[in-house]
Amino acid sequence: QVQLVESGGGLVQAGGSLRLSCAASGDTICISAMGWYRQAPGKERELVAAITSGGSTYYADSVKGRFTISRDNAKNTVYLQMNSLKPEDTAVYYCNAESYCSGSLRDYWGQGTQVTVSS
């Protein structure tokens, strides 16, 4: 089992910055990749950014050049630095961990943190 606790959401004006954190605990040795998803009202959840245990990263086109995902393996924490925020970035952001242990692949989710960008 893996537990994820997010922090860092809030209200910011357009053009501002926020940093989200996601601390993992439990069977963290099994985590192969971590990422951030978001879900805006009336829309499907979408992948924003992801990082593997080896440090490879992925970004959605809508956030490239503005968001940066990083990972501190010693602290079992993943961060999402969000700069130049836009109103369309407003959503609930969820941390995700992909775990592969004993031949089983599982996804774990945090509780979500609200990010609101005002125009």
Side-chain angles (χ1 to χ4, degrees), residues 38 46 59-64 66 86 89:
R38 68 186 180 187
E46 62 173 351
Y59 295 96
D61 287 343
S62 59
V63 306
K64 281 181 181 176
R66 300 188 298 122
K86 304 175 181 180
D89 294 318

Side-chain angles (χ1 to χ4, degrees), residues 3-30:
Q3 295 79 41
L4 302 173
V5 178
E6 301 140 340
S7 61
L11 173 65
V12 65
Q13 288 188 334
S17 298
L18 283 173
R19 188 176 83 152
L20 306 182
S21 300
C22 174
S25 60
D27 294 329
T28 57
I29 194 171
C30 297

Side-chain angles (χ1 to χ4, degrees), residues 35-113:
W36 289 94
Y37 287 71
R38 68 186 180 187
Q39 188 167 21
K43 294 188 176 181
E44 293 187 355
R45 190 172 296 189
E46 62 173 351
L47 176 62
V48 174
I51 186 166
T52 69
S53 56
S56 297
T57 57
Y58 162 86
Y59 295 96
D61 287 343
S62 59
V63 306
K64 281 181 181 176
R66 300 188 298 122
F67 291 10
T68 302
I69 190 169
S70 60
R71 184 170 177 171
D72 185 334
N73 289 327
K75 295 182 179 180
N76 295 312
T77 300
V78 66
Y79 304 96
L80 185 67
Q81 178 66 43
M82 304 185 294
N83 298 329
S84 302
L85 282 161
K86 304 175 181 180
E88 51 263 44
D89 294 318
T90 295
V92 178
Y93 284 69
Y94 296 91
C95 179
N96 168 268
E98 185 178 88
S99 170
Y100 188 75
C101 229
S102 301
S104 296
L105 183 65
R106 293 190 63 177
D107 272 314
Y108 294 92
W109 295 92
Q111 78 281 5
T113 186

